[in-house]
Amino acid sequence: MIEQARGAGARIAREPGETFWGGYSGVFHDPEGHPWEVAHNPHWTIRDDGTVSLG
C-alpha cells in the first residue's frame, strides 16, 4: 500500500516497518497533506462477515 501511495505522489512520512505490538505500519501524506496510517497485524483473522478475531 505504501508503494502504491508513493507511486501516486504521496509523501512517505514513516517508512513501513515492524511495530512494538507485533504488526507492521507506515504513514503517508496524501497530495492535500492529510496523513494516513497503514497497519497490518498478522495475528488477527478477518472472517468472511468482516468481524475480527484477535488471536
Short mmCIF file of all heavy atoms in Angstrom, two decimals:
data_model
loop_
_atom_site.label_atom_id
_atom_site.label_comp_id
_atom_site.label_asym_id
_atom_site.label_seq_id
_atom_site.Cartn_x
_atom_site.Cartn_y
_atom_site.Cartn_z
N MET A 1 0.83 -1.18 0.00
CA MET A 1 0.00 0.00 0.00
C MET A 1 0.88 1.25 0.00
O MET A 1 0.58 2.20 -0.72
CB MET A 1 -0.92 -0.03 1.22
CG MET A 1 -1.81 1.16 1.35
SD MET A 1 -2.74 1.63 -0.07
CE MET A 1 -4.17 0.71 -0.07
N ILE A 2 1.93 1.25 0.79
CA ILE A 2 2.82 2.42 0.83
C ILE A 2 3.45 2.66 -0.55
O ILE A 2 3.55 3.80 -1.00
CB ILE A 2 3.91 2.26 1.91
CG1 ILE A 2 3.27 2.26 3.31
CG2 ILE A 2 4.96 3.36 1.80
CD1 ILE A 2 2.68 3.57 3.77
N GLU A 3 3.84 1.60 -1.22
CA GLU A 3 4.44 1.75 -2.55
C GLU A 3 3.43 2.30 -3.55
O GLU A 3 3.78 3.10 -4.42
CB GLU A 3 5.05 0.44 -3.04
CG GLU A 3 6.31 0.04 -2.28
CD GLU A 3 7.36 1.15 -2.20
OE1 GLU A 3 7.63 1.80 -3.23
OE2 GLU A 3 7.90 1.35 -1.11
N GLN A 4 2.18 1.89 -3.43
CA GLN A 4 1.14 2.44 -4.30
C GLN A 4 0.94 3.92 -4.02
O GLN A 4 0.78 4.72 -4.95
CB GLN A 4 -0.18 1.70 -4.11
CG GLN A 4 -0.16 0.31 -4.70
CD GLN A 4 -1.47 -0.42 -4.48
OE1 GLN A 4 -2.16 -0.21 -3.48
NE2 GLN A 4 -1.83 -1.27 -5.42
N ALA A 5 0.93 4.29 -2.75
CA ALA A 5 0.78 5.70 -2.38
C ALA A 5 1.97 6.51 -2.90
O ALA A 5 1.80 7.60 -3.46
CB ALA A 5 0.68 5.84 -0.86
N ARG A 6 3.18 5.98 -2.74
CA ARG A 6 4.37 6.65 -3.23
C ARG A 6 4.27 6.89 -4.75
O ARG A 6 4.54 7.96 -5.25
CB ARG A 6 5.61 5.83 -2.90
CG ARG A 6 6.92 6.52 -3.18
CD ARG A 6 8.15 5.63 -3.01
NE ARG A 6 8.14 4.71 -1.91
CZ ARG A 6 8.64 4.95 -0.70
NH1 ARG A 6 9.17 6.12 -0.42
NH2 ARG A 6 8.60 4.01 0.23
N GLY A 7 3.84 5.84 -5.47
CA GLY A 7 3.70 5.93 -6.91
C GLY A 7 2.65 6.95 -7.35
O GLY A 7 2.71 7.48 -8.46
N ALA A 8 1.68 7.21 -6.49
CA ALA A 8 0.63 8.18 -6.80
C ALA A 8 0.99 9.59 -6.36
O ALA A 8 0.18 10.50 -6.46
CB ALA A 8 -0.67 7.74 -6.14
N GLY A 9 2.22 9.77 -5.84
CA GLY A 9 2.67 11.11 -5.48
C GLY A 9 2.60 11.46 -4.00
O GLY A 9 2.83 12.60 -3.62
N ALA A 10 2.25 10.49 -3.15
CA ALA A 10 2.20 10.76 -1.72
C ALA A 10 3.61 10.94 -1.16
O ALA A 10 4.58 10.40 -1.68
CB ALA A 10 1.51 9.61 -0.99
N ARG A 11 3.70 11.71 -0.07
CA ARG A 11 4.96 11.85 0.65
C ARG A 11 4.95 10.84 1.79
O ARG A 11 4.02 10.80 2.59
CB ARG A 11 5.10 13.27 1.22
CG ARG A 11 6.40 13.51 1.95
CD ARG A 11 6.52 14.93 2.45
NE ARG A 11 5.50 15.29 3.42
CZ ARG A 11 5.55 15.02 4.72
NH1 ARG A 11 6.56 14.33 5.22
NH2 ARG A 11 4.58 15.40 5.52
N ILE A 12 5.98 10.02 1.86
CA ILE A 12 6.05 8.99 2.90
C ILE A 12 6.60 9.64 4.17
O ILE A 12 7.72 10.14 4.19
CB ILE A 12 6.93 7.80 2.46
CG1 ILE A 12 6.48 7.27 1.09
CG2 ILE A 12 6.93 6.71 3.52
CD1 ILE A 12 5.01 6.91 1.00
N ALA A 13 5.79 9.63 5.22
CA ALA A 13 6.18 10.24 6.49
C ALA A 13 6.90 9.24 7.39
O ALA A 13 7.75 9.62 8.19
CB ALA A 13 4.95 10.80 7.21
N ARG A 14 6.52 7.98 7.30
CA ARG A 14 7.20 6.91 8.05
C ARG A 14 7.20 5.66 7.19
O ARG A 14 6.14 5.14 6.85
CB ARG A 14 6.50 6.65 9.39
CG ARG A 14 7.29 5.69 10.28
CD ARG A 14 6.68 5.50 11.66
NE ARG A 14 5.48 4.68 11.56
CZ ARG A 14 4.29 4.98 12.07
NH1 ARG A 14 4.11 6.08 12.74
NH2 ARG A 14 3.27 4.17 11.92
N GLU A 15 8.38 5.24 6.82
CA GLU A 15 8.51 4.03 6.01
C GLU A 15 7.92 2.85 6.77
O GLU A 15 7.97 2.81 8.01
CB GLU A 15 9.98 3.75 5.69
CG GLU A 15 10.61 4.75 4.74
CD GLU A 15 10.08 4.66 3.32
OE1 GLU A 15 9.56 3.59 2.93
OE2 GLU A 15 10.20 5.65 2.59
N PRO A 16 7.35 1.89 6.07
CA PRO A 16 6.77 0.74 6.76
C PRO A 16 7.82 -0.07 7.51
O PRO A 16 8.96 -0.18 7.07
CB PRO A 16 6.15 -0.08 5.63
CG PRO A 16 6.68 0.47 4.36
CD PRO A 16 7.22 1.82 4.64
N GLY A 17 7.41 -0.58 8.65
CA GLY A 17 8.31 -1.40 9.45
C GLY A 17 7.58 -2.09 10.57
O GLY A 17 6.38 -1.89 10.79
N GLU A 18 8.31 -2.91 11.29
CA GLU A 18 7.74 -3.65 12.42
C GLU A 18 7.38 -2.70 13.55
O GLU A 18 8.02 -1.68 13.74
CB GLU A 18 8.72 -4.70 12.91
CG GLU A 18 8.97 -5.81 11.90
CD GLU A 18 9.89 -6.89 12.43
OE1 GLU A 18 10.03 -7.04 13.66
OE2 GLU A 18 10.46 -7.60 11.59
N THR A 19 6.34 -3.07 14.30
CA THR A 19 5.89 -2.28 15.44
C THR A 19 6.11 -3.04 16.74
O THR A 19 6.37 -4.24 16.73
CB THR A 19 4.38 -1.97 15.31
OG1 THR A 19 3.67 -3.21 15.40
CG2 THR A 19 4.05 -1.26 14.01
N PHE A 20 5.96 -2.34 17.85
CA PHE A 20 6.14 -2.97 19.16
C PHE A 20 5.03 -3.98 19.46
O PHE A 20 5.20 -4.86 20.28
CB PHE A 20 6.19 -1.90 20.27
CG PHE A 20 4.87 -1.22 20.53
CD1 PHE A 20 3.99 -1.72 21.47
CD2 PHE A 20 4.50 -0.09 19.81
CE1 PHE A 20 2.77 -1.10 21.71
CE2 PHE A 20 3.29 0.54 20.03
CZ PHE A 20 2.43 0.04 20.98
N TRP A 21 3.88 -3.85 18.78
CA TRP A 21 2.76 -4.75 19.04
C TRP A 21 2.76 -5.98 18.15
O TRP A 21 1.81 -6.77 18.16
CB TRP A 21 1.42 -4.02 18.97
CG TRP A 21 1.24 -3.06 17.83
CD1 TRP A 21 1.43 -1.70 17.87
CD2 TRP A 21 0.81 -3.36 16.50
NE1 TRP A 21 1.16 -1.15 16.64
CE2 TRP A 21 0.78 -2.16 15.77
CE3 TRP A 21 0.46 -4.52 15.84
CZ2 TRP A 21 0.40 -2.07 14.45
CZ3 TRP A 21 0.09 -4.45 14.51
CH2 TRP A 21 0.06 -3.23 13.83
N GLY A 22 3.80 -6.16 17.37
CA GLY A 22 3.93 -7.38 16.59
C GLY A 22 3.42 -7.30 15.18
O GLY A 22 3.43 -8.28 14.46
N GLY A 23 2.99 -6.14 14.76
CA GLY A 23 2.50 -5.97 13.39
C GLY A 23 3.43 -5.08 12.60
O GLY A 23 4.63 -4.96 12.91
N TYR A 24 2.88 -4.42 11.61
CA TYR A 24 3.64 -3.56 10.72
C TYR A 24 2.82 -2.32 10.43
O TYR A 24 1.59 -2.39 10.34
CB TYR A 24 3.94 -4.27 9.40
CG TYR A 24 4.63 -5.59 9.59
CD1 TYR A 24 3.91 -6.76 9.78
CD2 TYR A 24 6.02 -5.66 9.64
CE1 TYR A 24 4.54 -7.97 9.99
CE2 TYR A 24 6.66 -6.87 9.85
CZ TYR A 24 5.91 -8.02 10.02
OH TYR A 24 6.55 -9.20 10.24
N SER A 25 3.47 -1.17 10.27
CA SER A 25 2.73 0.03 9.89
C SER A 25 3.66 1.03 9.21
O SER A 25 4.89 0.95 9.31
CB SER A 25 2.06 0.69 11.10
OG SER A 25 3.01 1.34 11.91
N GLY A 26 3.04 1.96 8.52
CA GLY A 26 3.73 3.05 7.85
C GLY A 26 2.76 4.20 7.71
O GLY A 26 1.55 4.02 7.86
N VAL A 27 3.27 5.39 7.41
CA VAL A 27 2.43 6.58 7.29
C VAL A 27 2.79 7.33 6.02
O VAL A 27 3.97 7.48 5.70
CB VAL A 27 2.61 7.51 8.51
CG1 VAL A 27 1.80 8.79 8.35
CG2 VAL A 27 2.23 6.81 9.80
N PHE A 28 1.77 7.79 5.31
CA PHE A 28 2.00 8.66 4.16
C PHE A 28 1.05 9.86 4.24
O PHE A 28 0.04 9.81 4.92
CB PHE A 28 1.83 7.91 2.84
CG PHE A 28 0.43 7.46 2.53
CD1 PHE A 28 -0.45 8.27 1.83
CD2 PHE A 28 0.01 6.19 2.90
CE1 PHE A 28 -1.74 7.83 1.53
CE2 PHE A 28 -1.27 5.75 2.60
CZ PHE A 28 -2.14 6.58 1.91
N HIS A 29 1.44 10.94 3.56
CA HIS A 29 0.59 12.13 3.45
C HIS A 29 0.10 12.19 2.01
O HIS A 29 0.90 12.12 1.07
CB HIS A 29 1.37 13.39 3.78
CG HIS A 29 1.69 13.53 5.22
ND1 HIS A 29 1.82 14.75 5.84
CD2 HIS A 29 1.93 12.62 6.19
CE1 HIS A 29 2.11 14.58 7.12
NE2 HIS A 29 2.19 13.29 7.34
N ASP A 30 -1.21 12.34 1.85
CA ASP A 30 -1.77 12.44 0.51
C ASP A 30 -1.41 13.80 -0.10
O ASP A 30 -0.84 14.65 0.60
CB ASP A 30 -3.27 12.15 0.51
CG ASP A 30 -4.11 13.18 1.26
OD1 ASP A 30 -3.69 14.35 1.38
OD2 ASP A 30 -5.22 12.81 1.70
N PRO A 31 -1.71 14.01 -1.37
CA PRO A 31 -1.33 15.28 -2.01
C PRO A 31 -1.91 16.53 -1.35
O PRO A 31 -1.36 17.62 -1.50
CB PRO A 31 -1.87 15.12 -3.44
CG PRO A 31 -1.81 13.65 -3.68
CD PRO A 31 -2.20 13.04 -2.35
N GLU A 32 -2.98 16.39 -0.57
CA GLU A 32 -3.55 17.53 0.15
C GLU A 32 -2.94 17.69 1.54
O GLU A 32 -3.34 18.56 2.30
CB GLU A 32 -5.06 17.40 0.23
CG GLU A 32 -5.72 17.48 -1.14
CD GLU A 32 -7.23 17.34 -1.07
OE1 GLU A 32 -7.77 17.06 0.01
OE2 GLU A 32 -7.86 17.52 -2.12
N GLY A 33 -2.00 16.79 1.91
CA GLY A 33 -1.31 16.89 3.19
C GLY A 33 -1.91 16.10 4.33
O GLY A 33 -1.43 16.16 5.45
N HIS A 34 -2.97 15.33 4.06
CA HIS A 34 -3.60 14.54 5.11
C HIS A 34 -2.77 13.29 5.39
O HIS A 34 -2.41 12.57 4.46
CB HIS A 34 -5.00 14.14 4.71
CG HIS A 34 -5.93 15.27 4.44
ND1 HIS A 34 -5.55 16.51 4.04
CD2 HIS A 34 -7.26 15.35 4.52
CE1 HIS A 34 -6.58 17.30 3.88
NE2 HIS A 34 -7.64 16.61 4.16
N PRO A 35 -2.49 13.00 6.67
CA PRO A 35 -1.73 11.79 6.99
C PRO A 35 -2.64 10.55 7.02
O PRO A 35 -3.79 10.62 7.45
CB PRO A 35 -1.18 12.07 8.40
CG PRO A 35 -2.17 13.00 9.00
CD PRO A 35 -2.71 13.83 7.86
N TRP A 36 -2.10 9.44 6.54
CA TRP A 36 -2.79 8.16 6.55
C TRP A 36 -1.84 7.11 7.12
O TRP A 36 -0.70 7.02 6.69
CB TRP A 36 -3.17 7.74 5.14
CG TRP A 36 -4.20 8.61 4.49
CD1 TRP A 36 -3.99 9.82 3.89
CD2 TRP A 36 -5.59 8.34 4.38
NE1 TRP A 36 -5.16 10.32 3.41
CE2 TRP A 36 -6.17 9.42 3.70
CE3 TRP A 36 -6.39 7.29 4.79
CZ2 TRP A 36 -7.53 9.47 3.42
CZ3 TRP A 36 -7.74 7.36 4.50
CH2 TRP A 36 -8.29 8.42 3.83
N GLU A 37 -2.31 6.35 8.08
CA GLU A 37 -1.51 5.24 8.59
C GLU A 37 -2.04 3.95 8.01
O GLU A 37 -3.25 3.72 7.99
CB GLU A 37 -1.56 5.16 10.11
CG GLU A 37 -0.71 4.00 10.64
CD GLU A 37 -0.67 3.92 12.15
OE1 GLU A 37 -1.60 4.42 12.80
OE2 GLU A 37 0.30 3.35 12.67
N VAL A 38 -1.15 3.12 7.53
CA VAL A 38 -1.49 1.80 7.01
C VAL A 38 -0.89 0.81 7.99
O VAL A 38 0.31 0.86 8.28
CB VAL A 38 -0.91 1.59 5.60
CG1 VAL A 38 -1.23 0.20 5.10
CG2 VAL A 38 -1.43 2.65 4.65
N ALA A 39 -1.71 -0.08 8.53
CA ALA A 39 -1.23 -1.04 9.53
C ALA A 39 -1.72 -2.45 9.19
O ALA A 39 -2.78 -2.63 8.59
CB ALA A 39 -1.71 -0.65 10.92
N HIS A 40 -0.93 -3.42 9.61
CA HIS A 40 -1.28 -4.83 9.40
C HIS A 40 -0.88 -5.60 10.65
O HIS A 40 0.24 -5.44 11.15
CB HIS A 40 -0.54 -5.39 8.19
CG HIS A 40 -0.65 -6.88 8.07
ND1 HIS A 40 -1.82 -7.51 7.76
CD2 HIS A 40 0.28 -7.85 8.24
CE1 HIS A 40 -1.61 -8.82 7.73
NE2 HIS A 40 -0.35 -9.05 8.02
N ASN A 41 -1.79 -6.40 11.15
CA ASN A 41 -1.49 -7.26 12.29
C ASN A 41 -1.65 -8.70 11.82
O ASN A 41 -2.78 -9.16 11.61
CB ASN A 41 -2.41 -6.97 13.47
CG ASN A 41 -2.01 -7.75 14.70
OD1 ASN A 41 -1.42 -8.82 14.62
ND2 ASN A 41 -2.34 -7.23 15.86
N PRO A 42 -0.56 -9.44 11.64
CA PRO A 42 -0.65 -10.80 11.13
C PRO A 42 -1.30 -11.78 12.11
O PRO A 42 -1.61 -12.90 11.74
CB PRO A 42 0.80 -11.18 10.86
CG PRO A 42 1.59 -10.34 11.80
CD PRO A 42 0.82 -9.05 11.92
N HIS A 43 -1.54 -11.34 13.34
CA HIS A 43 -2.12 -12.22 14.36
C HIS A 43 -3.64 -12.14 14.39
O HIS A 43 -4.28 -12.88 15.11
CB HIS A 43 -1.54 -11.89 15.73
CG HIS A 43 -0.05 -11.92 15.74
ND1 HIS A 43 0.68 -13.09 15.60
CD2 HIS A 43 0.85 -10.93 15.82
CE1 HIS A 43 1.97 -12.81 15.62
NE2 HIS A 43 2.09 -11.51 15.76
N TRP A 44 -4.23 -11.22 13.64
CA TRP A 44 -5.68 -11.09 13.57
C TRP A 44 -6.21 -11.89 12.40
O TRP A 44 -5.57 -12.00 11.36
CB TRP A 44 -6.08 -9.64 13.37
CG TRP A 44 -5.90 -8.75 14.56
CD1 TRP A 44 -5.18 -9.03 15.69
CD2 TRP A 44 -6.41 -7.45 14.72
NE1 TRP A 44 -5.22 -7.96 16.54
CE2 TRP A 44 -5.98 -6.97 15.96
CE3 TRP A 44 -7.19 -6.64 13.93
CZ2 TRP A 44 -6.32 -5.71 16.43
CZ3 TRP A 44 -7.52 -5.38 14.41
CH2 TRP A 44 -7.08 -4.94 15.65
N THR A 45 -7.40 -12.41 12.56
CA THR A 45 -8.09 -13.10 11.48
C THR A 45 -9.34 -12.32 11.14
O THR A 45 -10.15 -12.02 12.02
CB THR A 45 -8.47 -14.54 11.92
OG1 THR A 45 -7.29 -15.24 12.27
CG2 THR A 45 -9.19 -15.26 10.80
N ILE A 46 -9.50 -11.97 9.87
CA ILE A 46 -10.72 -11.30 9.43
C ILE A 46 -11.61 -12.37 8.80
O ILE A 46 -11.25 -13.02 7.83
CB ILE A 46 -10.40 -10.19 8.42
CG1 ILE A 46 -9.48 -9.16 9.05
CG2 ILE A 46 -11.70 -9.53 7.93
CD1 ILE A 46 -9.00 -8.09 8.11
N ARG A 47 -12.78 -12.54 9.41
CA ARG A 47 -13.73 -13.55 8.95
C ARG A 47 -14.48 -13.07 7.70
O ARG A 47 -14.44 -11.89 7.37
CB ARG A 47 -14.72 -13.86 10.07
CG ARG A 47 -14.04 -14.45 11.30
CD ARG A 47 -15.10 -14.83 12.34
NE ARG A 47 -14.49 -15.24 13.57
CZ ARG A 47 -14.47 -14.50 14.69
NH1 ARG A 47 -15.08 -13.33 14.72
NH2 ARG A 47 -13.88 -14.94 15.78
N ASP A 48 -15.17 -13.98 7.05
CA ASP A 48 -15.92 -13.65 5.84
C ASP A 48 -16.95 -12.55 6.06
O ASP A 48 -17.26 -11.78 5.16
CB ASP A 48 -16.60 -14.89 5.27
CG ASP A 48 -15.62 -15.88 4.69
OD1 ASP A 48 -14.48 -15.48 4.35
OD2 ASP A 48 -15.98 -17.07 4.56
N ASP A 49 -17.50 -12.47 7.28
CA ASP A 49 -18.52 -11.45 7.57
C ASP A 49 -17.91 -10.11 7.98
O ASP A 49 -18.61 -9.17 8.30
CB ASP A 49 -19.50 -11.94 8.64
CG ASP A 49 -18.85 -12.13 10.01
OD1 ASP A 49 -17.63 -11.91 10.16
OD2 ASP A 49 -19.59 -12.50 10.94
N GLY A 50 -16.56 -10.01 7.98
CA GLY A 50 -15.87 -8.76 8.30
C GLY A 50 -15.50 -8.59 9.75
O GLY A 50 -14.79 -7.65 10.10
N THR A 51 -15.95 -9.48 10.62
CA THR A 51 -15.55 -9.40 12.03
C THR A 51 -14.10 -9.88 12.19
O THR A 51 -13.57 -10.57 11.35
CB THR A 51 -16.48 -10.21 12.93
OG1 THR A 51 -16.45 -11.59 12.52
CG2 THR A 51 -17.91 -9.69 12.86
N VAL A 52 -13.51 -9.46 13.30
CA VAL A 52 -12.10 -9.75 13.54
C VAL A 52 -11.94 -10.66 14.75
O VAL A 52 -12.60 -10.46 15.78
CB VAL A 52 -11.31 -8.44 13.78
CG1 VAL A 52 -9.86 -8.71 14.10
CG2 VAL A 52 -11.42 -7.54 12.56
N SER A 53 -11.08 -11.62 14.63
CA SER A 53 -10.72 -12.50 15.75
C SER A 53 -9.32 -12.12 16.19
O SER A 53 -8.38 -12.16 15.39
CB SER A 53 -10.75 -13.97 15.30
OG SER A 53 -10.23 -14.79 16.32
N LEU A 54 -9.16 -11.70 17.44
CA LEU A 54 -7.86 -11.28 17.97
C LEU A 54 -7.15 -12.47 18.55
O LEU A 54 -7.29 -12.77 19.72
CB LEU A 54 -8.05 -10.19 19.02
CG LEU A 54 -8.91 -9.00 18.62
CD1 LEU A 54 -9.08 -8.04 19.78
CD2 LEU A 54 -8.32 -8.30 17.43
N GLY A 55 -6.34 -13.10 17.79
CA GLY A 55 -5.61 -14.20 18.37
C GLY A 55 -5.35 -15.23 17.43
O GLY A 55 -4.92 -16.03 16.92
#
